[in-house]
Amino acid sequence: MKLTISRKALADLMAKGGSAAAKNSPVPIIGHARLVAKAGVLRVSTTDFEMQAEAFAEAAVEAEGAATVSAEKLTQIVGRLPPDASISLSLEGADVVLKASPGRTRLKLATLPLDLWPALDFKADGAAVFDLTGGELTRLFARTYESAKVNNTATTIACVFLHARDWRGTPSLAAVGTNGHICIVTAVALPEGAEAMPVRGGQAGVLLSFETVAAALRLFKGAEKVRIRVTDRVIALEDGHARLISKLIDATYPDYQRIIPAPSPTRAIMNRARGLSVVTLLESFSTKDQGHKLECGAGTDGLIVAASEAGGEGFDQVDATIEGEITPFGVSSLYLKLMLNAYGVERVALSFGERGAAILVSADDEPDTLGVLMPMRVAGDLVRRLSA
C-alpha cells in the first residue's frame, strides 16, 4: 500500500470513518482503523463490534493494499500537521510510514493483522430500501436522540424508534425518543420503501442505539441524499462519501402514543426564544437535588417562571398568551430547555389537562413535531409570593 492524500481529506476521513473506533478496549484491534487503498480511493473504516463507520475519498494510489493502524493516534497526528500538508502513507513491513510535506516529517505506526479486523457483514437480500435527505435525517434524529438520552437509565427505551405511522392522516416516517419524563416525536413524509421495514409491536420500524444515531448525525447531517437499507437485524446508511452499518436493538418499543395527551383549550402560547432565555437565567437556582425544578404559573402579562434554593431565588416572566385557567405547575429546567430547543419557530404552545397530567408541547408552524413533558408537583406558593 502506498498513496498520497491531502491533510484536509485525511482529517475528514478520520473524523467520519474513524468515529466508531472503541477507546480503552481490552481488544486492541477495535481501536484500529482499517485503511484500504484501491482504484484511486482511500477507505477508512472503524468498528466496535456493534457498529461500523466507513468514509472514502480520492487519493493518489501508487500501490494498492490495506493495513490497520491506531485510529486515535492517526487522528491526533493528522490534526497536528499543518493545514496545507500533503501526506503520504506506505506499508513497510509491519508498519505504516507517514510522511508529510513540505518538511521532513517521518512517522512510523505499528499495524495489527488485517484478518483480525472484525468487519460487520451486511447482506442486503430482502432489505427495505428508501432515501432521506440529510435535512430529513437530522430532523428525525437530532431532537429525539437528545430527549431519549438525557438522564435515561431504562434500557427498554434507551434508543430511538424509527418507524412508519399515520401522522394527522398522512403516511409518515416518524422517530420518537423518551426517557419516561420527556418525549419528542417528529415525522417526515413517508419515503417510498420505508413501509417495508421489519414489523415490531404491530408497527414497521427499527430501534437504533444512541451510538448509531449520533454516528448517523455526524456522517450525514449535510448530505444531499442518504440511501438506507434495513433488515431485521442490521441497518446500513450511505451517501456516496461515507457508510454506516449498525446492528439493531432486538426489542419491542413501548406504545408511546398512549402518553401523548389530546390538545386542550387550556394553553400558554409562549415566545420560544424568550422562554429559553428565562430558563437559562433561572436554572442556576434549579438545582439537581431538587430535580432541576422550576415553578410556573399564569401572570398578568404572560407565564411566570420561578426557582428557589438555599443560595437564593428568582423569577421572570415569559411573553405568552394565556388561554383558560392554568394551575401552577412544576417542570424540570433541563427538560423544558431541551423541549424549547427542539423547535425552530417563534411560538410554542403548552397545553394542560387535569392537574398533574402530562403537558403537551406543540407549534402551529411546526405541526410535524410533538412533545410531552411530565410535570412536577408544586404548591404554587413560590409563584404567588414572588409575583406579588
Short mmCIF file of all heavy atoms in Angstrom, two decimals, residues 178-238:
data_model
loop_
_atom_site.label_atom_id
_atom_site.label_comp_id
_atom_site.label_asym_id
_atom_site.label_seq_id
_atom_site.Cartn_x
_atom_site.Cartn_y
_atom_site.Cartn_z
N THR A 178 -37.71 8.99 24.21
CA THR A 178 -38.26 9.33 25.51
C THR A 178 -37.40 8.73 26.61
O THR A 178 -36.75 7.70 26.40
CB THR A 178 -39.71 8.84 25.67
OG1 THR A 178 -40.21 9.24 26.95
CG2 THR A 178 -39.81 7.34 25.55
N ASN A 179 -37.40 9.37 27.77
CA ASN A 179 -36.75 8.79 28.94
C ASN A 179 -37.77 8.55 30.05
O ASN A 179 -37.42 8.25 31.18
CB ASN A 179 -35.62 9.68 29.44
CG ASN A 179 -36.11 10.99 30.04
OD1 ASN A 179 -37.30 11.31 29.96
ND2 ASN A 179 -35.22 11.74 30.65
N GLY A 180 -39.05 8.69 29.71
CA GLY A 180 -40.11 8.49 30.69
C GLY A 180 -40.61 9.78 31.30
O GLY A 180 -41.70 9.82 31.86
N HIS A 181 -39.83 10.87 31.18
CA HIS A 181 -40.22 12.17 31.72
C HIS A 181 -40.42 13.20 30.63
O HIS A 181 -41.15 14.18 30.82
CB HIS A 181 -39.16 12.68 32.70
CG HIS A 181 -38.90 11.76 33.85
ND1 HIS A 181 -39.70 11.69 34.95
CD2 HIS A 181 -37.92 10.84 34.04
CE1 HIS A 181 -39.24 10.79 35.79
NE2 HIS A 181 -38.15 10.26 35.26
N ILE A 182 -39.74 13.02 29.53
CA ILE A 182 -39.88 13.89 28.36
C ILE A 182 -39.96 12.99 27.14
O ILE A 182 -39.32 11.94 27.08
CB ILE A 182 -38.68 14.86 28.26
CG1 ILE A 182 -38.84 15.80 27.04
CG2 ILE A 182 -37.36 14.12 28.22
CD1 ILE A 182 -37.76 16.87 26.97
N CYS A 183 -40.75 13.40 26.17
CA CYS A 183 -40.90 12.62 24.94
C CYS A 183 -40.99 13.59 23.76
O CYS A 183 -41.71 14.60 23.84
CB CYS A 183 -42.15 11.75 25.00
SG CYS A 183 -42.50 10.83 23.47
N ILE A 184 -40.25 13.31 22.71
CA ILE A 184 -40.34 14.09 21.48
C ILE A 184 -40.53 13.13 20.33
O ILE A 184 -39.80 12.15 20.19
CB ILE A 184 -39.09 14.96 21.25
CG1 ILE A 184 -38.96 16.02 22.34
CG2 ILE A 184 -39.14 15.63 19.88
CD1 ILE A 184 -37.73 16.89 22.23
N VAL A 185 -41.54 13.41 19.51
CA VAL A 185 -41.77 12.62 18.31
C VAL A 185 -41.87 13.58 17.14
O VAL A 185 -42.50 14.64 17.25
CB VAL A 185 -43.05 11.75 18.42
CG1 VAL A 185 -44.26 12.57 18.80
CG2 VAL A 185 -43.31 10.97 17.15
N THR A 186 -41.21 13.25 16.05
CA THR A 186 -41.23 14.10 14.87
C THR A 186 -41.34 13.23 13.63
O THR A 186 -41.02 12.03 13.67
CB THR A 186 -39.98 15.00 14.82
OG1 THR A 186 -40.12 15.97 13.79
CG2 THR A 186 -38.72 14.19 14.58
N ALA A 187 -41.81 13.80 12.53
CA ALA A 187 -42.11 12.99 11.35
C ALA A 187 -41.79 13.74 10.07
O ALA A 187 -41.76 14.97 10.04
CB ALA A 187 -43.58 12.58 11.36
N VAL A 188 -41.55 12.97 9.01
CA VAL A 188 -41.41 13.49 7.66
C VAL A 188 -42.31 12.63 6.77
O VAL A 188 -42.82 11.59 7.19
CB VAL A 188 -39.94 13.42 7.16
CG1 VAL A 188 -39.04 14.27 8.03
CG2 VAL A 188 -39.44 11.97 7.11
N ALA A 189 -42.52 13.07 5.54
CA ALA A 189 -43.33 12.29 4.61
C ALA A 189 -42.72 10.91 4.43
O ALA A 189 -41.49 10.76 4.38
CB ALA A 189 -43.43 13.00 3.26
N LEU A 190 -43.55 9.89 4.37
CA LEU A 190 -43.06 8.52 4.26
C LEU A 190 -42.37 8.30 2.92
O LEU A 190 -42.98 8.38 1.87
CB LEU A 190 -44.23 7.53 4.40
CG LEU A 190 -43.84 6.05 4.44
CD1 LEU A 190 -43.11 5.74 5.75
CD2 LEU A 190 -45.07 5.17 4.29
N PRO A 191 -41.04 8.03 2.93
CA PRO A 191 -40.36 7.77 1.67
C PRO A 191 -40.75 6.40 1.11
O PRO A 191 -41.04 5.47 1.87
CB PRO A 191 -38.88 7.80 2.06
CG PRO A 191 -38.85 7.50 3.51
CD PRO A 191 -40.14 8.00 4.08
N GLU A 192 -40.76 6.29 -0.20
CA GLU A 192 -41.11 5.03 -0.84
C GLU A 192 -40.17 3.93 -0.39
O GLU A 192 -38.95 4.08 -0.44
CB GLU A 192 -41.05 5.18 -2.36
CG GLU A 192 -41.49 3.94 -3.13
CD GLU A 192 -41.44 4.14 -4.63
OE1 GLU A 192 -41.15 5.28 -5.06
OE2 GLU A 192 -41.68 3.17 -5.36
N GLY A 193 -40.72 2.83 0.08
CA GLY A 193 -39.92 1.69 0.52
C GLY A 193 -39.82 1.55 2.02
O GLY A 193 -39.54 0.47 2.54
N ALA A 194 -40.05 2.64 2.77
CA ALA A 194 -39.90 2.59 4.23
C ALA A 194 -40.96 1.73 4.89
O ALA A 194 -40.75 1.17 5.97
CB ALA A 194 -39.93 4.00 4.81
N GLU A 195 -42.11 1.59 4.23
CA GLU A 195 -43.18 0.78 4.80
C GLU A 195 -42.81 -0.70 4.87
O GLU A 195 -43.47 -1.49 5.55
CB GLU A 195 -44.48 0.96 4.01
CG GLU A 195 -44.49 0.33 2.62
CD GLU A 195 -43.72 1.13 1.58
OE1 GLU A 195 -43.28 2.26 1.90
OE2 GLU A 195 -43.57 0.63 0.45
N ALA A 196 -41.74 -1.10 4.15
CA ALA A 196 -41.32 -2.50 4.13
C ALA A 196 -40.34 -2.85 5.25
O ALA A 196 -39.82 -3.96 5.30
CB ALA A 196 -40.67 -2.82 2.78
N MET A 197 -40.09 -1.90 6.16
CA MET A 197 -39.22 -2.21 7.30
C MET A 197 -39.81 -3.34 8.13
O MET A 197 -41.03 -3.56 8.12
CB MET A 197 -39.02 -0.96 8.18
CG MET A 197 -38.13 0.10 7.59
SD MET A 197 -37.72 1.42 8.78
CE MET A 197 -39.33 2.16 9.05
N PRO A 198 -38.98 -4.07 8.88
CA PRO A 198 -39.50 -5.15 9.73
C PRO A 198 -40.57 -4.65 10.68
O PRO A 198 -40.52 -3.51 11.15
CB PRO A 198 -38.25 -5.62 10.50
CG PRO A 198 -37.10 -5.17 9.68
CD PRO A 198 -37.52 -3.91 8.99
N VAL A 199 -41.54 -5.49 10.97
CA VAL A 199 -42.65 -5.12 11.85
C VAL A 199 -42.36 -5.59 13.27
O VAL A 199 -42.05 -6.76 13.51
CB VAL A 199 -43.98 -5.74 11.36
CG1 VAL A 199 -45.10 -5.43 12.35
CG2 VAL A 199 -44.33 -5.20 9.97
N ARG A 200 -42.44 -4.65 14.22
CA ARG A 200 -42.29 -4.96 15.64
C ARG A 200 -43.42 -4.28 16.41
O ARG A 200 -43.67 -3.10 16.21
CB ARG A 200 -40.95 -4.47 16.18
CG ARG A 200 -39.76 -5.25 15.68
CD ARG A 200 -38.47 -4.76 16.33
NE ARG A 200 -37.32 -5.48 15.85
CZ ARG A 200 -36.89 -6.63 16.35
NH1 ARG A 200 -37.56 -7.17 17.36
NH2 ARG A 200 -35.82 -7.23 15.87
N GLY A 201 -44.08 -5.03 17.25
CA GLY A 201 -45.17 -4.46 18.03
C GLY A 201 -46.28 -3.89 17.18
O GLY A 201 -46.91 -2.91 17.57
N GLY A 202 -46.49 -4.47 16.00
CA GLY A 202 -47.56 -4.01 15.12
C GLY A 202 -47.20 -2.84 14.25
O GLY A 202 -48.04 -2.36 13.49
N GLN A 203 -45.94 -2.33 14.33
CA GLN A 203 -45.52 -1.19 13.51
C GLN A 203 -44.24 -1.53 12.75
O GLN A 203 -43.35 -2.20 13.28
CB GLN A 203 -45.28 0.04 14.38
CG GLN A 203 -46.55 0.70 14.89
CD GLN A 203 -46.25 1.97 15.64
OE1 GLN A 203 -45.65 1.94 16.70
NE2 GLN A 203 -46.69 3.10 15.11
N ALA A 204 -44.17 -1.08 11.50
CA ALA A 204 -42.97 -1.27 10.71
C ALA A 204 -41.92 -0.28 11.20
O ALA A 204 -42.09 0.93 11.06
CB ALA A 204 -43.26 -1.05 9.23
N GLY A 205 -40.84 -0.79 11.79
CA GLY A 205 -39.84 0.12 12.32
C GLY A 205 -38.69 -0.60 12.99
O GLY A 205 -38.72 -1.83 13.16
N VAL A 206 -37.66 0.16 13.38
CA VAL A 206 -36.46 -0.41 13.98
C VAL A 206 -36.01 0.46 15.15
O VAL A 206 -36.31 1.66 15.21
CB VAL A 206 -35.32 -0.52 12.95
CG1 VAL A 206 -35.65 -1.57 11.90
CG2 VAL A 206 -35.04 0.83 12.28
N LEU A 207 -35.28 -0.17 16.08
CA LEU A 207 -34.76 0.52 17.25
C LEU A 207 -33.26 0.74 17.07
O LEU A 207 -32.51 -0.21 16.84
CB LEU A 207 -35.01 -0.28 18.51
CG LEU A 207 -36.37 -0.09 19.21
CD1 LEU A 207 -37.51 -0.51 18.30
CD2 LEU A 207 -36.42 -0.88 20.51
N LEU A 208 -32.85 2.01 17.17
CA LEU A 208 -31.45 2.39 16.95
C LEU A 208 -30.82 2.84 18.27
O LEU A 208 -31.43 3.61 19.02
CB LEU A 208 -31.37 3.53 15.94
CG LEU A 208 -32.10 3.32 14.61
CD1 LEU A 208 -31.99 4.56 13.75
CD2 LEU A 208 -31.55 2.10 13.88
N SER A 209 -29.61 2.38 18.52
CA SER A 209 -28.91 2.78 19.74
C SER A 209 -28.51 4.24 19.67
O SER A 209 -28.46 4.85 18.60
CB SER A 209 -27.65 1.91 19.91
OG SER A 209 -26.68 2.25 18.93
N PHE A 210 -28.20 4.82 20.84
CA PHE A 210 -27.73 6.20 20.88
C PHE A 210 -26.47 6.38 20.04
O PHE A 210 -26.30 7.37 19.35
CB PHE A 210 -27.41 6.61 22.33
CG PHE A 210 -28.60 6.67 23.23
CD1 PHE A 210 -28.48 6.35 24.57
CD2 PHE A 210 -29.84 7.06 22.76
CE1 PHE A 210 -29.58 6.42 25.42
CE2 PHE A 210 -30.95 7.14 23.59
CZ PHE A 210 -30.81 6.81 24.93
N GLU A 211 -25.57 5.39 20.10
CA GLU A 211 -24.32 5.47 19.35
C GLU A 211 -24.58 5.50 17.85
O GLU A 211 -23.93 6.25 17.11
CB GLU A 211 -23.41 4.30 19.72
CG GLU A 211 -22.90 4.30 21.14
CD GLU A 211 -23.92 3.80 22.16
OE1 GLU A 211 -24.98 3.28 21.76
OE2 GLU A 211 -23.66 3.94 23.37
N THR A 212 -25.54 4.70 17.39
CA THR A 212 -25.87 4.67 15.97
C THR A 212 -26.45 6.00 15.51
O THR A 212 -26.07 6.53 14.47
CB THR A 212 -26.88 3.54 15.69
OG1 THR A 212 -26.30 2.28 16.07
CG2 THR A 212 -27.25 3.49 14.22
N VAL A 213 -27.36 6.55 16.29
CA VAL A 213 -27.99 7.82 15.92
C VAL A 213 -26.95 8.95 15.91
O VAL A 213 -26.92 9.78 14.99
CB VAL A 213 -29.15 8.16 16.88
CG1 VAL A 213 -29.70 9.54 16.60
CG2 VAL A 213 -30.25 7.11 16.75
N ALA A 214 -26.08 8.98 16.93
CA ALA A 214 -25.05 10.02 16.98
C ALA A 214 -24.11 9.91 15.79
O ALA A 214 -23.73 10.93 15.19
CB ALA A 214 -24.27 9.90 18.29
N ALA A 215 -23.75 8.69 15.41
CA ALA A 215 -22.87 8.48 14.26
C ALA A 215 -23.56 8.91 12.97
O ALA A 215 -22.94 9.52 12.09
CB ALA A 215 -22.44 7.02 14.18
N ALA A 216 -24.84 8.59 12.82
CA ALA A 216 -25.58 8.98 11.62
C ALA A 216 -25.63 10.50 11.47
O ALA A 216 -25.50 11.04 10.37
CB ALA A 216 -27.00 8.41 11.66
N LEU A 217 -25.80 11.21 12.59
CA LEU A 217 -25.83 12.68 12.54
C LEU A 217 -24.46 13.23 12.15
O LEU A 217 -24.36 14.19 11.40
CB LEU A 217 -26.26 13.23 13.90
CG LEU A 217 -27.74 13.02 14.26
CD1 LEU A 217 -28.00 13.37 15.72
CD2 LEU A 217 -28.64 13.85 13.35
N ARG A 218 -23.39 12.63 12.67
CA ARG A 218 -22.05 13.10 12.31
C ARG A 218 -21.75 12.89 10.83
O ARG A 218 -21.17 13.75 10.17
CB ARG A 218 -20.98 12.34 13.14
CG ARG A 218 -20.81 12.81 14.56
CD ARG A 218 -19.52 12.27 15.14
NE ARG A 218 -19.45 10.82 15.11
CZ ARG A 218 -19.86 10.02 16.07
NH1 ARG A 218 -20.42 10.52 17.16
NH2 ARG A 218 -19.74 8.71 15.96
N LEU A 219 -22.16 11.76 10.31
CA LEU A 219 -21.79 11.38 8.95
C LEU A 219 -22.67 12.01 7.88
O LEU A 219 -22.20 12.32 6.78
CB LEU A 219 -21.83 9.86 8.80
CG LEU A 219 -20.80 9.06 9.60
CD1 LEU A 219 -21.04 7.57 9.42
CD2 LEU A 219 -19.39 9.41 9.19
N PHE A 220 -23.96 12.20 8.16
CA PHE A 220 -24.90 12.52 7.08
C PHE A 220 -25.70 13.80 7.28
O PHE A 220 -26.63 14.05 6.52
CB PHE A 220 -25.86 11.34 6.89
CG PHE A 220 -25.18 10.02 6.70
CD1 PHE A 220 -25.30 9.02 7.66
CD2 PHE A 220 -24.39 9.79 5.59
CE1 PHE A 220 -24.66 7.80 7.48
CE2 PHE A 220 -23.74 8.57 5.41
CZ PHE A 220 -23.88 7.57 6.36
N LYS A 221 -25.35 14.61 8.26
CA LYS A 221 -26.13 15.81 8.56
C LYS A 221 -26.31 16.71 7.35
O LYS A 221 -27.39 17.25 7.11
CB LYS A 221 -25.44 16.58 9.69
CG LYS A 221 -26.24 17.75 10.21
CD LYS A 221 -25.57 18.38 11.41
CE LYS A 221 -26.40 19.53 11.97
NZ LYS A 221 -25.77 20.12 13.18
N GLY A 222 -25.27 16.89 6.54
CA GLY A 222 -25.38 17.78 5.39
C GLY A 222 -25.51 17.08 4.06
O GLY A 222 -25.32 17.68 3.00
N ALA A 223 -25.87 15.79 4.09
CA ALA A 223 -25.93 15.00 2.86
C ALA A 223 -27.09 15.42 1.98
O ALA A 223 -28.16 15.80 2.45
CB ALA A 223 -26.04 13.52 3.19
N GLU A 224 -26.88 15.32 0.68
CA GLU A 224 -27.95 15.60 -0.27
C GLU A 224 -28.96 14.46 -0.28
O GLU A 224 -30.18 14.69 -0.29
CB GLU A 224 -27.37 15.78 -1.67
CG GLU A 224 -28.41 16.16 -2.71
CD GLU A 224 -27.79 16.43 -4.07
OE1 GLU A 224 -26.59 16.77 -4.13
OE2 GLU A 224 -28.51 16.30 -5.08
N LYS A 225 -28.47 13.22 -0.27
CA LYS A 225 -29.35 12.06 -0.23
C LYS A 225 -28.66 10.93 0.52
O LYS A 225 -27.48 10.66 0.30
CB LYS A 225 -29.70 11.58 -1.65
CG LYS A 225 -30.69 10.42 -1.66
CD LYS A 225 -31.06 10.01 -3.08
CE LYS A 225 -29.96 9.18 -3.73
NZ LYS A 225 -30.41 8.60 -5.02
N VAL A 226 -29.40 10.28 1.42
CA VAL A 226 -28.88 9.14 2.17
C VAL A 226 -29.70 7.91 1.80
O VAL A 226 -30.93 7.91 1.96
CB VAL A 226 -28.96 9.39 3.69
CG1 VAL A 226 -28.35 8.22 4.45
CG2 VAL A 226 -28.28 10.70 4.06
N ARG A 227 -29.03 6.90 1.28
CA ARG A 227 -29.71 5.64 0.96
C ARG A 227 -29.68 4.75 2.21
O ARG A 227 -28.63 4.51 2.79
CB ARG A 227 -29.00 4.95 -0.21
CG ARG A 227 -29.46 3.54 -0.54
CD ARG A 227 -30.92 3.44 -0.94
NE ARG A 227 -31.32 4.33 -2.01
CZ ARG A 227 -31.27 4.02 -3.30
NH1 ARG A 227 -30.78 2.84 -3.69
NH2 ARG A 227 -31.70 4.89 -4.21
N ILE A 228 -30.85 4.30 2.63
CA ILE A 228 -30.98 3.50 3.85
C ILE A 228 -31.50 2.12 3.49
O ILE A 228 -32.48 1.98 2.77
CB ILE A 228 -31.93 4.18 4.85
CG1 ILE A 228 -31.38 5.57 5.22
CG2 ILE A 228 -32.10 3.33 6.11
CD1 ILE A 228 -32.30 6.38 6.11
N ARG A 229 -30.82 1.10 4.02
CA ARG A 229 -31.24 -0.29 3.84
C ARG A 229 -31.43 -0.91 5.22
O ARG A 229 -30.57 -0.76 6.09
CB ARG A 229 -30.19 -1.08 3.05
CG ARG A 229 -30.00 -0.58 1.61
CD ARG A 229 -28.92 -1.42 0.91
NE ARG A 229 -28.78 -1.06 -0.49
CZ ARG A 229 -28.00 -0.11 -0.96
NH1 ARG A 229 -27.27 0.62 -0.10
NH2 ARG A 229 -27.93 0.15 -2.24
N VAL A 230 -32.55 -1.59 5.41
CA VAL A 230 -32.89 -2.13 6.72
C VAL A 230 -33.31 -3.59 6.60
O VAL A 230 -34.18 -3.93 5.79
CB VAL A 230 -34.04 -1.34 7.38
CG1 VAL A 230 -34.33 -1.90 8.77
CG2 VAL A 230 -33.70 0.13 7.47
N THR A 231 -32.68 -4.46 7.40
CA THR A 231 -33.13 -5.83 7.55
C THR A 231 -33.65 -5.99 8.98
O THR A 231 -33.75 -5.02 9.73
CB THR A 231 -32.00 -6.83 7.29
OG1 THR A 231 -31.03 -6.75 8.36
CG2 THR A 231 -31.31 -6.55 5.96
N ASP A 232 -33.97 -7.21 9.37
CA ASP A 232 -34.47 -7.39 10.73
C ASP A 232 -33.37 -7.33 11.79
O ASP A 232 -33.66 -7.31 12.98
CB ASP A 232 -35.25 -8.70 10.85
CG ASP A 232 -34.39 -9.91 10.52
OD1 ASP A 232 -33.28 -9.73 9.96
OD2 ASP A 232 -34.81 -11.05 10.80
N ARG A 233 -32.11 -7.27 11.35
CA ARG A 233 -31.00 -7.26 12.31
C ARG A 233 -30.06 -6.07 12.15
O ARG A 233 -29.40 -5.65 13.12
CB ARG A 233 -30.19 -8.54 12.18
CG ARG A 233 -30.94 -9.80 12.60
CD ARG A 233 -30.06 -11.03 12.44
NE ARG A 233 -30.78 -12.23 12.85
CZ ARG A 233 -30.84 -12.70 14.09
NH1 ARG A 233 -30.21 -12.02 15.05
NH2 ARG A 233 -31.51 -13.78 14.38
N VAL A 234 -29.97 -5.52 10.94
CA VAL A 234 -28.94 -4.53 10.63
C VAL A 234 -29.52 -3.38 9.82
O VAL A 234 -30.44 -3.57 9.03
CB VAL A 234 -27.77 -5.18 9.85
CG1 VAL A 234 -26.69 -4.15 9.51
CG2 VAL A 234 -27.15 -6.33 10.64
N ILE A 235 -28.96 -2.17 10.03
CA ILE A 235 -29.28 -1.02 9.20
C ILE A 235 -28.00 -0.50 8.56
O ILE A 235 -26.93 -0.52 9.20
CB ILE A 235 -29.97 0.10 10.02
CG1 ILE A 235 -30.42 1.25 9.11
CG2 ILE A 235 -29.08 0.62 11.14
CD1 ILE A 235 -31.31 2.28 9.79
N ALA A 236 -28.08 -0.09 7.31
CA ALA A 236 -26.93 0.49 6.61
C ALA A 236 -27.35 1.81 5.99
O ALA A 236 -28.41 1.90 5.36
CB ALA A 236 -26.42 -0.47 5.53
N LEU A 237 -26.53 2.85 6.15
CA LEU A 237 -26.79 4.17 5.59
C LEU A 237 -25.57 4.57 4.77
O LEU A 237 -24.43 4.38 5.20
CB LEU A 237 -27.03 5.21 6.69
CG LEU A 237 -28.15 4.93 7.71
CD1 LEU A 237 -27.61 4.17 8.92
CD2 LEU A 237 -28.79 6.23 8.19
N GLU A 238 -25.82 5.19 3.60
CA GLU A 238 -24.71 5.55 2.72
C GLU A 238 -25.09 6.77 1.89
O GLU A 238 -26.24 6.89 1.46
CB GLU A 238 -24.34 4.39 1.81
CG GLU A 238 -23.11 4.61 0.97
CD GLU A 238 -22.62 3.34 0.28
OE1 GLU A 238 -23.20 2.26 0.53
OE2 GLU A 238 -21.67 3.43 -0.51
#
